Amino acid sequence: MDCYNYIIENSEAWLQYAVRFNVMNENKKNLQELRTQVITDVKIKKYLHDITDFHSILVRNHKNPDLPIHKLIFLLDIGLDTDVPEIQAAVKEIMAHKDENGVYQSLTNVPKHFGGSGTDIFSWCLCDAPLLLYGLLKAGIDYEKHIKQGVDYLLNFYKPHGFPCTVSQELGKFRGPGRKADCCPYATLIMLRLLISISEYKDSDMVKESADALLSLWENSLERHPYMFYMGTDFRKLKAPTIWYDIVSVVDVLSQIDSVREDVRFKEMIQLIKNKQDENGFFTPESVYQKYKGWDFGQKKKHSSYLTYRCCLILERQVFKSDKKN
């Protein structure tokens, strides 16, 4: 809690709000003045502006920080909601493009030589559809009415070793660079993020097996890297926000799954993160996305309050779970 108090005293309004709302569970009405500061912050205003025209960017590279879905989830994660007009507009844009199976679509363009049509088209793949469903869930959209159908459909693609590279029919024969039988680590990760947010799936065998699939990749990181997703040196560098496939992103999801808390492989990952904590309890980015320059997690020279916040949430879950077991 000392760490969180320091963040509140020394960070920007948006992160103060995230800590007070998400960690200290302060009432939103009591945070109204601070919330006003958040939505008028220059960087937050830019994000809000960017998500309004939600399908303005073709989804070609799923780790592109400029993708509106990443910005929307970031805004929802810090505690903003559909009371903000721009977030409401983004949600409406997402919901305007849904296929017959209940899966929400992104605007993309896969060249013909990769198996696509070569034209801009609304479609989905397991590298983006789970994020759209998760974003709607975080935004408080009715699960039974607008989300469940799509989730249930995507679950049809599950294999005992995780979720494979899968695309909608609009994308033809396109798939990522790997063996068809392998799981896609990133698709498995974001499907896990979605499923642990849904009560009926949170403790399911599917979640446990998918978590084990990621832990198995960690255990065999020198030999196995399906679809060119590695768990090597770059993967092990602290990085924020949690938009891709790196140790903070993976452990953030795994730390919310009770079945892995005593797993030796998971404890190794937790310890790796913990070992990077400085004497004052803070974390410094070891890798950054250049497009986040201007944010405190977009540099590697000093500790980042936001990265510290994310890592503290992870470590706190593990301590809480261990104490709860005892």
Short mmCIF file of all heavy atoms in Angstrom, two decimals, residues 262-317:
data_model
loop_
_atom_site.label_atom_id
_atom_site.label_comp_id
_atom_site.label_asym_id
_atom_site.label_seq_id
_atom_site.Cartn_x
_atom_site.Cartn_y
_atom_site.Cartn_z
N GLU A 262 0.51 -22.05 -7.40
CA GLU A 262 1.59 -22.84 -6.81
C GLU A 262 2.44 -23.54 -7.86
O GLU A 262 3.32 -24.34 -7.52
CB GLU A 262 1.01 -23.87 -5.83
CG GLU A 262 0.31 -23.25 -4.62
CD GLU A 262 1.23 -22.34 -3.81
OE1 GLU A 262 2.43 -22.67 -3.68
OE2 GLU A 262 0.76 -21.30 -3.32
N ASP A 263 2.19 -23.24 -9.12
CA ASP A 263 2.95 -23.86 -10.20
C ASP A 263 4.39 -23.32 -10.20
O ASP A 263 4.59 -22.10 -10.18
CB ASP A 263 2.28 -23.58 -11.54
CG ASP A 263 2.84 -24.41 -12.67
OD1 ASP A 263 4.03 -24.19 -13.03
OD2 ASP A 263 2.12 -25.26 -13.20
N VAL A 264 5.36 -24.21 -10.23
CA VAL A 264 6.77 -23.81 -10.18
C VAL A 264 7.11 -22.88 -11.33
O VAL A 264 7.86 -21.91 -11.17
CB VAL A 264 7.68 -25.06 -10.21
CG1 VAL A 264 9.14 -24.65 -10.35
CG2 VAL A 264 7.49 -25.88 -8.94
N ARG A 265 6.57 -23.16 -12.50
CA ARG A 265 6.87 -22.33 -13.67
C ARG A 265 6.34 -20.92 -13.50
O ARG A 265 7.01 -19.93 -13.85
CB ARG A 265 6.27 -22.98 -14.92
CG ARG A 265 6.82 -24.36 -15.22
CD ARG A 265 5.95 -25.14 -16.20
NE ARG A 265 4.63 -25.39 -15.65
CZ ARG A 265 3.67 -26.04 -16.32
NH1 ARG A 265 3.91 -26.49 -17.56
NH2 ARG A 265 2.49 -26.24 -15.77
N PHE A 266 5.13 -20.81 -12.95
CA PHE A 266 4.56 -19.50 -12.69
C PHE A 266 5.38 -18.75 -11.64
O PHE A 266 5.64 -17.55 -11.77
CB PHE A 266 3.11 -19.64 -12.24
CG PHE A 266 2.46 -18.35 -11.85
CD1 PHE A 266 2.22 -17.36 -12.79
CD2 PHE A 266 2.09 -18.10 -10.53
CE1 PHE A 266 1.62 -16.16 -12.43
CE2 PHE A 266 1.48 -16.91 -10.17
CZ PHE A 266 1.25 -15.94 -11.13
N LYS A 267 5.79 -19.45 -10.61
CA LYS A 267 6.59 -18.81 -9.56
C LYS A 267 7.92 -18.30 -10.11
O LYS A 267 8.43 -17.27 -9.68
CB LYS A 267 6.83 -19.80 -8.42
CG LYS A 267 5.61 -20.07 -7.56
CD LYS A 267 5.96 -20.97 -6.39
CE LYS A 267 4.78 -21.15 -5.45
NZ LYS A 267 5.11 -22.01 -4.29
N GLU A 268 8.47 -19.00 -11.09
CA GLU A 268 9.70 -18.53 -11.74
C GLU A 268 9.46 -17.20 -12.43
O GLU A 268 10.29 -16.28 -12.36
CB GLU A 268 10.17 -19.56 -12.76
CG GLU A 268 10.78 -20.82 -12.17
CD GLU A 268 11.15 -21.83 -13.24
OE1 GLU A 268 10.87 -21.57 -14.44
OE2 GLU A 268 11.73 -22.86 -12.90
N MET A 269 8.33 -17.08 -13.11
CA MET A 269 8.00 -15.84 -13.82
C MET A 269 7.77 -14.71 -12.83
O MET A 269 8.24 -13.58 -13.04
CB MET A 269 6.78 -16.06 -14.70
CG MET A 269 6.95 -17.15 -15.75
SD MET A 269 5.45 -17.48 -16.70
CE MET A 269 5.58 -16.23 -17.96
N ILE A 270 7.06 -15.02 -11.76
CA ILE A 270 6.82 -14.01 -10.72
C ILE A 270 8.15 -13.54 -10.13
O ILE A 270 8.38 -12.34 -9.94
CB ILE A 270 5.93 -14.60 -9.60
CG1 ILE A 270 4.48 -14.70 -10.05
CG2 ILE A 270 6.02 -13.76 -8.32
CD1 ILE A 270 3.72 -13.39 -10.08
N GLN A 271 9.04 -14.48 -9.84
CA GLN A 271 10.32 -14.14 -9.23
C GLN A 271 11.17 -13.30 -10.15
O GLN A 271 11.87 -12.38 -9.71
CB GLN A 271 11.08 -15.41 -8.83
CG GLN A 271 12.29 -15.16 -7.94
CD GLN A 271 11.91 -14.49 -6.63
OE1 GLN A 271 10.98 -14.93 -5.95
NE2 GLN A 271 12.60 -13.42 -6.27
N LEU A 272 11.09 -13.58 -11.46
CA LEU A 272 11.85 -12.79 -12.42
C LEU A 272 11.41 -11.33 -12.37
O LEU A 272 12.24 -10.42 -12.38
CB LEU A 272 11.66 -13.36 -13.83
CG LEU A 272 12.55 -12.77 -14.93
CD1 LEU A 272 12.82 -13.82 -15.99
CD2 LEU A 272 11.89 -11.55 -15.59
N ILE A 273 10.10 -11.12 -12.30
CA ILE A 273 9.59 -9.74 -12.19
C ILE A 273 10.01 -9.12 -10.87
O ILE A 273 10.49 -7.98 -10.83
CB ILE A 273 8.05 -9.73 -12.34
CG1 ILE A 273 7.64 -10.12 -13.76
CG2 ILE A 273 7.48 -8.35 -11.99
CD1 ILE A 273 6.15 -10.26 -13.97
N LYS A 274 9.83 -9.86 -9.80
CA LYS A 274 10.16 -9.34 -8.47
C LYS A 274 11.62 -8.95 -8.36
O LYS A 274 11.98 -7.97 -7.69
CB LYS A 274 9.81 -10.39 -7.41
CG LYS A 274 9.78 -9.85 -5.99
CD LYS A 274 9.20 -10.88 -5.03
CE LYS A 274 9.11 -10.30 -3.61
NZ LYS A 274 8.51 -11.28 -2.67
N ASN A 275 12.49 -9.70 -9.02
CA ASN A 275 13.93 -9.42 -8.96
C ASN A 275 14.29 -8.10 -9.62
O ASN A 275 15.39 -7.58 -9.41
CB ASN A 275 14.72 -10.55 -9.61
CG ASN A 275 14.73 -11.82 -8.78
OD1 ASN A 275 14.39 -11.80 -7.60
ND2 ASN A 275 15.11 -12.94 -9.39
N LYS A 276 13.40 -7.57 -10.42
CA LYS A 276 13.67 -6.32 -11.13
C LYS A 276 13.17 -5.10 -10.35
O LYS A 276 13.32 -3.97 -10.80
CB LYS A 276 13.02 -6.36 -12.52
CG LYS A 276 13.61 -7.44 -13.44
CD LYS A 276 12.81 -7.55 -14.74
CE LYS A 276 13.30 -8.68 -15.63
NZ LYS A 276 14.57 -8.36 -16.29
N GLN A 277 12.58 -5.34 -9.20
CA GLN A 277 12.09 -4.26 -8.34
C GLN A 277 13.27 -3.59 -7.64
O GLN A 277 14.15 -4.28 -7.11
CB GLN A 277 11.12 -4.83 -7.32
CG GLN A 277 10.26 -3.82 -6.59
CD GLN A 277 9.17 -4.52 -5.77
OE1 GLN A 277 9.29 -5.69 -5.41
NE2 GLN A 277 8.08 -3.81 -5.50
N ASP A 278 13.33 -2.26 -7.64
CA ASP A 278 14.45 -1.59 -6.99
C ASP A 278 14.25 -1.52 -5.47
O ASP A 278 13.23 -1.98 -4.94
CB ASP A 278 14.70 -0.21 -7.60
CG ASP A 278 13.58 0.80 -7.32
OD1 ASP A 278 12.84 0.64 -6.34
OD2 ASP A 278 13.46 1.77 -8.10
N GLU A 279 15.23 -0.94 -4.79
CA GLU A 279 15.20 -0.93 -3.33
C GLU A 279 14.02 -0.15 -2.75
O GLU A 279 13.63 -0.33 -1.60
CB GLU A 279 16.51 -0.36 -2.77
CG GLU A 279 16.80 1.08 -3.13
CD GLU A 279 17.46 1.26 -4.49
OE1 GLU A 279 17.52 0.26 -5.25
OE2 GLU A 279 17.92 2.38 -4.78
N ASN A 280 13.44 0.73 -3.58
CA ASN A 280 12.29 1.51 -3.12
C ASN A 280 10.95 0.89 -3.55
O ASN A 280 9.89 1.45 -3.29
CB ASN A 280 12.39 2.93 -3.67
CG ASN A 280 13.60 3.66 -3.12
OD1 ASN A 280 13.85 3.65 -1.92
ND2 ASN A 280 14.37 4.30 -4.00
N GLY A 281 11.03 -0.26 -4.21
CA GLY A 281 9.82 -0.96 -4.61
C GLY A 281 9.29 -0.60 -5.98
O GLY A 281 8.17 -0.98 -6.33
N PHE A 282 10.08 0.11 -6.78
CA PHE A 282 9.61 0.58 -8.07
C PHE A 282 10.23 -0.21 -9.22
O PHE A 282 11.25 -0.89 -9.06
CB PHE A 282 9.89 2.07 -8.24
CG PHE A 282 9.36 2.89 -7.10
CD1 PHE A 282 10.20 3.71 -6.35
CD2 PHE A 282 8.01 2.83 -6.76
CE1 PHE A 282 9.71 4.45 -5.29
CE2 PHE A 282 7.51 3.57 -5.70
CZ PHE A 282 8.37 4.38 -4.97
N PHE A 283 9.62 -0.08 -10.40
CA PHE A 283 10.06 -0.81 -11.58
C PHE A 283 10.38 0.18 -12.70
O PHE A 283 9.66 1.16 -12.90
CB PHE A 283 8.99 -1.78 -12.04
CG PHE A 283 8.73 -2.91 -11.07
CD1 PHE A 283 7.80 -2.75 -10.05
CD2 PHE A 283 9.42 -4.10 -11.17
CE1 PHE A 283 7.56 -3.78 -9.15
CE2 PHE A 283 9.18 -5.14 -10.28
CZ PHE A 283 8.25 -4.98 -9.26
N THR A 284 11.43 -0.12 -13.45
CA THR A 284 11.86 0.72 -14.56
C THR A 284 11.69 -0.05 -15.87
O THR A 284 12.08 -1.22 -15.95
CB THR A 284 13.33 1.11 -14.41
OG1 THR A 284 13.49 1.86 -13.19
CG2 THR A 284 13.81 1.97 -15.58
N PRO A 285 11.10 0.55 -16.89
CA PRO A 285 10.94 -0.15 -18.18
C PRO A 285 12.30 -0.56 -18.74
O PRO A 285 13.27 0.19 -18.69
CB PRO A 285 10.28 0.92 -19.06
CG PRO A 285 9.60 1.84 -18.11
CD PRO A 285 10.50 1.90 -16.91
N GLU A 286 12.34 -1.77 -19.27
CA GLU A 286 13.55 -2.27 -19.92
C GLU A 286 13.40 -2.30 -21.43
O GLU A 286 14.36 -2.49 -22.16
CB GLU A 286 13.86 -3.67 -19.41
CG GLU A 286 14.12 -3.74 -17.92
CD GLU A 286 14.27 -5.15 -17.42
OE1 GLU A 286 13.34 -5.97 -17.64
OE2 GLU A 286 15.31 -5.45 -16.80
N SER A 287 12.19 -2.13 -21.88
CA SER A 287 11.87 -2.07 -23.30
C SER A 287 10.66 -1.16 -23.45
O SER A 287 9.82 -1.11 -22.54
CB SER A 287 11.56 -3.47 -23.84
OG SER A 287 11.22 -3.43 -25.21
N VAL A 288 10.57 -0.44 -24.56
CA VAL A 288 9.47 0.50 -24.73
C VAL A 288 8.95 0.47 -26.16
O VAL A 288 9.65 0.08 -27.09
CB VAL A 288 9.88 1.96 -24.39
CG1 VAL A 288 10.33 2.07 -22.94
CG2 VAL A 288 10.98 2.44 -25.33
N TYR A 289 7.70 0.86 -26.30
CA TYR A 289 7.13 1.12 -27.61
C TYR A 289 7.40 2.59 -27.91
O TYR A 289 7.04 3.47 -27.12
CB TYR A 289 5.61 0.88 -27.61
CG TYR A 289 5.20 -0.54 -27.30
CD1 TYR A 289 4.85 -0.91 -26.01
CD2 TYR A 289 5.15 -1.50 -28.31
CE1 TYR A 289 4.46 -2.21 -25.72
CE2 TYR A 289 4.75 -2.80 -28.03
CZ TYR A 289 4.40 -3.15 -26.73
OH TYR A 289 4.02 -4.44 -26.45
N GLN A 290 8.02 2.87 -29.05
CA GLN A 290 8.40 4.23 -29.38
C GLN A 290 7.19 5.17 -29.45
O GLN A 290 7.30 6.36 -29.17
CB GLN A 290 9.17 4.26 -30.71
CG GLN A 290 10.54 3.60 -30.64
CD GLN A 290 11.43 4.25 -29.59
OE1 GLN A 290 11.52 5.48 -29.51
NE2 GLN A 290 12.08 3.42 -28.77
N LYS A 291 6.04 4.63 -29.81
CA LYS A 291 4.84 5.47 -29.94
C LYS A 291 4.31 5.92 -28.58
O LYS A 291 3.37 6.71 -28.52
CB LYS A 291 3.77 4.74 -30.74
CG LYS A 291 4.16 4.59 -32.21
CD LYS A 291 3.06 3.94 -33.02
CE LYS A 291 3.47 3.85 -34.49
NZ LYS A 291 2.42 3.22 -35.33
N TYR A 292 4.86 5.39 -27.48
CA TYR A 292 4.45 5.83 -26.15
C TYR A 292 5.40 6.88 -25.57
O TYR A 292 5.36 7.16 -24.38
CB TYR A 292 4.36 4.63 -25.20
CG TYR A 292 3.18 3.73 -25.47
CD1 TYR A 292 3.36 2.38 -25.73
CD2 TYR A 292 1.88 4.23 -25.46
CE1 TYR A 292 2.28 1.54 -25.98
CE2 TYR A 292 0.79 3.41 -25.71
CZ TYR A 292 1.00 2.07 -25.97
OH TYR A 292 -0.07 1.26 -26.21
N LYS A 293 6.24 7.43 -26.40
CA LYS A 293 7.11 8.50 -25.95
C LYS A 293 6.25 9.64 -25.41
O LYS A 293 5.30 10.08 -26.03
CB LYS A 293 7.97 9.00 -27.12
CG LYS A 293 9.03 10.02 -26.71
CD LYS A 293 9.87 10.41 -27.91
CE LYS A 293 10.96 11.41 -27.51
NZ LYS A 293 11.79 11.80 -28.67
N GLY A 294 6.57 10.11 -24.23
CA GLY A 294 5.76 11.13 -23.58
C GLY A 294 5.00 10.59 -22.38
O GLY A 294 4.58 11.34 -21.51
N TRP A 295 4.82 9.26 -22.36
CA TRP A 295 4.26 8.60 -21.18
C TRP A 295 5.41 8.15 -20.29
O TRP A 295 6.51 7.92 -20.77
CB TRP A 295 3.43 7.39 -21.59
CG TRP A 295 2.23 7.69 -22.44
CD1 TRP A 295 2.22 7.88 -23.79
CD2 TRP A 295 0.88 7.82 -22.00
NE1 TRP A 295 0.94 8.13 -24.22
CE2 TRP A 295 0.10 8.10 -23.15
CE3 TRP A 295 0.25 7.72 -20.76
CZ2 TRP A 295 -1.29 8.28 -23.08
CZ3 TRP A 295 -1.13 7.90 -20.70
CH2 TRP A 295 -1.89 8.18 -21.85
N ASP A 296 5.15 7.96 -19.01
CA ASP A 296 6.28 7.61 -18.12
C ASP A 296 6.78 6.19 -18.37
O ASP A 296 7.89 5.84 -17.96
CB ASP A 296 5.90 7.82 -16.65
CG ASP A 296 5.13 6.66 -16.03
OD1 ASP A 296 4.49 5.90 -16.78
OD2 ASP A 296 5.19 6.52 -14.80
N PHE A 297 5.99 5.37 -19.09
CA PHE A 297 6.44 4.02 -19.43
C PHE A 297 7.07 3.97 -20.83
O PHE A 297 7.39 2.89 -21.32
CB PHE A 297 5.28 3.02 -19.33
CG PHE A 297 4.01 3.47 -20.00
CD1 PHE A 297 3.82 3.28 -21.36
CD2 PHE A 297 3.00 4.08 -19.27
CE1 PHE A 297 2.65 3.69 -21.97
CE2 PHE A 297 1.83 4.50 -19.88
CZ PHE A 297 1.65 4.30 -21.23
N GLY A 298 7.23 5.13 -21.44
CA GLY A 298 7.83 5.21 -22.77
C GLY A 298 9.30 5.60 -22.74
O GLY A 298 9.83 6.11 -23.72
N GLN A 299 9.96 5.37 -21.62
CA GLN A 299 11.39 5.66 -21.46
C GLN A 299 12.02 4.61 -20.55
O GLN A 299 11.32 3.89 -19.85
CB GLN A 299 11.59 7.07 -20.86
CG GLN A 299 10.79 7.31 -19.58
CD GLN A 299 11.39 6.67 -18.34
OE1 GLN A 299 12.61 6.74 -18.15
NE2 GLN A 299 10.57 6.03 -17.52
N LYS A 300 13.36 4.52 -20.59
CA LYS A 300 14.06 3.48 -19.83
C LYS A 300 15.08 4.05 -18.84
O LYS A 300 15.88 3.31 -18.29
CB LYS A 300 14.77 2.53 -20.79
CG LYS A 300 13.84 1.78 -21.72
CD LYS A 300 14.58 0.78 -22.60
CE LYS A 300 15.37 1.48 -23.69
NZ LYS A 300 15.99 0.50 -24.62
N LYS A 301 15.00 5.36 -18.58
CA LYS A 301 16.02 5.99 -17.74
C LYS A 301 15.66 6.03 -16.26
O LYS A 301 16.53 6.14 -15.40
CB LYS A 301 16.30 7.41 -18.25
CG LYS A 301 16.93 7.44 -19.63
CD LYS A 301 17.23 8.87 -20.06
CE LYS A 301 17.90 8.88 -21.44
NZ LYS A 301 18.19 10.28 -21.89
N LYS A 302 14.38 5.99 -15.95
CA LYS A 302 13.97 6.06 -14.55
C LYS A 302 12.72 5.22 -14.34
O LYS A 302 12.08 4.78 -15.31
CB LYS A 302 13.71 7.50 -14.13
CG LYS A 302 12.63 8.22 -14.93
CD LYS A 302 12.47 9.66 -14.48
CE LYS A 302 11.36 10.36 -15.27
NZ LYS A 302 11.18 11.76 -14.82
N HIS A 303 12.37 5.01 -13.09
CA HIS A 303 11.23 4.14 -12.83
C HIS A 303 9.93 4.75 -13.37
O HIS A 303 9.81 5.96 -13.50
CB HIS A 303 11.11 3.82 -11.34
CG HIS A 303 10.58 4.94 -10.50
ND1 HIS A 303 11.38 5.72 -9.70
CD2 HIS A 303 9.31 5.41 -10.32
CE1 HIS A 303 10.64 6.61 -9.07
NE2 HIS A 303 9.38 6.45 -9.43
N SER A 304 9.00 3.88 -13.69
CA SER A 304 7.71 4.28 -14.23
C SER A 304 6.63 3.99 -13.20
O SER A 304 6.49 2.87 -12.72
CB SER A 304 7.42 3.49 -15.51
OG SER A 304 6.04 3.44 -15.80
N SER A 305 5.86 5.00 -12.86
CA SER A 305 4.76 4.81 -11.91
C SER A 305 3.72 3.84 -12.46
O SER A 305 3.17 3.02 -11.73
CB SER A 305 4.11 6.15 -11.57
OG SER A 305 5.00 6.97 -10.84
N TYR A 306 3.45 3.94 -13.77
CA TYR A 306 2.44 3.06 -14.35
C TYR A 306 2.92 1.62 -14.39
O TYR A 306 2.18 0.69 -14.02
CB TYR A 306 2.06 3.52 -15.75
CG TYR A 306 1.03 2.61 -16.39
CD1 TYR A 306 -0.29 2.59 -15.94
CD2 TYR A 306 1.37 1.74 -17.44
CE1 TYR A 306 -1.24 1.74 -16.49
CE2 TYR A 306 0.43 0.89 -18.00
CZ TYR A 306 -0.87 0.90 -17.52
OH TYR A 306 -1.80 0.05 -18.07
N LEU A 307 4.16 1.38 -14.83
CA LEU A 307 4.70 0.02 -14.83
C LEU A 307 4.74 -0.52 -13.41
O LEU A 307 4.41 -1.70 -13.18
CB LEU A 307 6.10 0.00 -15.43
CG LEU A 307 6.82 -1.35 -15.41
CD1 LEU A 307 6.06 -2.40 -16.22
CD2 LEU A 307 8.26 -1.21 -15.92
N THR A 308 5.10 0.32 -12.45
CA THR A 308 5.11 -0.10 -11.05
C THR A 308 3.71 -0.50 -10.60
O THR A 308 3.52 -1.51 -9.92
CB THR A 308 5.66 1.02 -10.15
OG1 THR A 308 7.02 1.29 -10.53
CG2 THR A 308 5.61 0.63 -8.68
N TYR A 309 2.73 0.27 -10.99
CA TYR A 309 1.33 -0.03 -10.68
C TYR A 309 0.94 -1.40 -11.23
O TYR A 309 0.37 -2.24 -10.52
CB TYR A 309 0.45 1.07 -11.27
CG TYR A 309 -1.03 0.76 -11.38
CD1 TYR A 309 -1.83 0.60 -10.25
CD2 TYR A 309 -1.63 0.65 -12.64
CE1 TYR A 309 -3.19 0.34 -10.37
CE2 TYR A 309 -2.98 0.39 -12.77
CZ TYR A 309 -3.76 0.24 -11.63
OH TYR A 309 -5.11 -0.02 -11.75
N ARG A 310 1.27 -1.67 -12.50
CA ARG A 310 0.92 -2.95 -13.11
C ARG A 310 1.63 -4.11 -12.42
O ARG A 310 1.03 -5.16 -12.15
CB ARG A 310 1.28 -2.96 -14.59
CG ARG A 310 0.59 -1.92 -15.46
CD ARG A 310 -0.90 -2.00 -15.47
NE ARG A 310 -1.45 -3.32 -15.68
CZ ARG A 310 -2.74 -3.57 -15.87
NH1 ARG A 310 -3.62 -2.57 -15.88
NH2 ARG A 310 -3.17 -4.79 -16.04
N CYS A 311 2.90 -3.94 -12.12
CA CYS A 311 3.67 -5.01 -11.47
C CYS A 311 3.20 -5.24 -10.04
O CYS A 311 3.14 -6.39 -9.57
CB CYS A 311 5.16 -4.69 -11.51
SG CYS A 311 5.89 -4.79 -13.17
N CYS A 312 2.86 -4.17 -9.34
CA CYS A 312 2.38 -4.31 -7.96
C CYS A 312 1.05 -5.06 -7.92
O CYS A 312 0.79 -5.84 -7.00
CB CYS A 312 2.25 -2.95 -7.29
SG CYS A 312 3.84 -2.25 -6.78
N LEU A 313 0.20 -4.82 -8.90
CA LEU A 313 -1.06 -5.56 -8.98
C LEU A 313 -0.79 -7.06 -9.11
O LEU A 313 -1.44 -7.89 -8.46
CB LEU A 313 -1.89 -5.09 -10.17
CG LEU A 313 -2.56 -3.72 -10.08
CD1 LEU A 313 -3.25 -3.38 -11.40
CD2 LEU A 313 -3.56 -3.67 -8.93
N ILE A 314 0.19 -7.39 -9.95
CA ILE A 314 0.56 -8.80 -10.15
C ILE A 314 1.08 -9.41 -8.85
O ILE A 314 0.62 -10.48 -8.42
CB ILE A 314 1.63 -8.92 -11.26
CG1 ILE A 314 1.02 -8.59 -12.62
CG2 ILE A 314 2.24 -10.32 -11.27
CD1 ILE A 314 2.04 -8.43 -13.74
N LEU A 315 2.04 -8.75 -8.23
CA LEU A 315 2.65 -9.29 -7.01
C LEU A 315 1.65 -9.35 -5.87
O LEU A 315 1.67 -10.29 -5.07
CB LEU A 315 3.85 -8.44 -6.62
CG LEU A 315 5.00 -8.39 -7.64
CD1 LEU A 315 6.13 -7.49 -7.14
CD2 LEU A 315 5.53 -9.79 -7.93
N GLU A 316 0.76 -8.37 -5.82
CA GLU A 316 -0.26 -8.35 -4.76
C GLU A 316 -1.21 -9.53 -4.90
O GLU A 316 -1.61 -10.14 -3.90
CB GLU A 316 -1.03 -7.04 -4.82
CG GLU A 316 -2.02 -6.84 -3.69
CD GLU A 316 -2.74 -5.50 -3.82
OE1 GLU A 316 -3.52 -5.35 -4.79
OE2 GLU A 316 -2.51 -4.63 -2.98
N ARG A 317 -1.57 -9.88 -6.13
CA ARG A 317 -2.46 -11.04 -6.34
C ARG A 317 -1.81 -12.32 -5.83
O ARG A 317 -2.46 -13.14 -5.21
CB ARG A 317 -2.78 -11.19 -7.83
CG ARG A 317 -3.68 -10.12 -8.40
CD ARG A 317 -3.90 -10.35 -9.88
NE ARG A 317 -4.44 -9.16 -10.52
CZ ARG A 317 -3.95 -8.63 -11.63
NH1 ARG A 317 -2.91 -9.18 -12.24
NH2 ARG A 317 -4.49 -7.54 -12.15
#
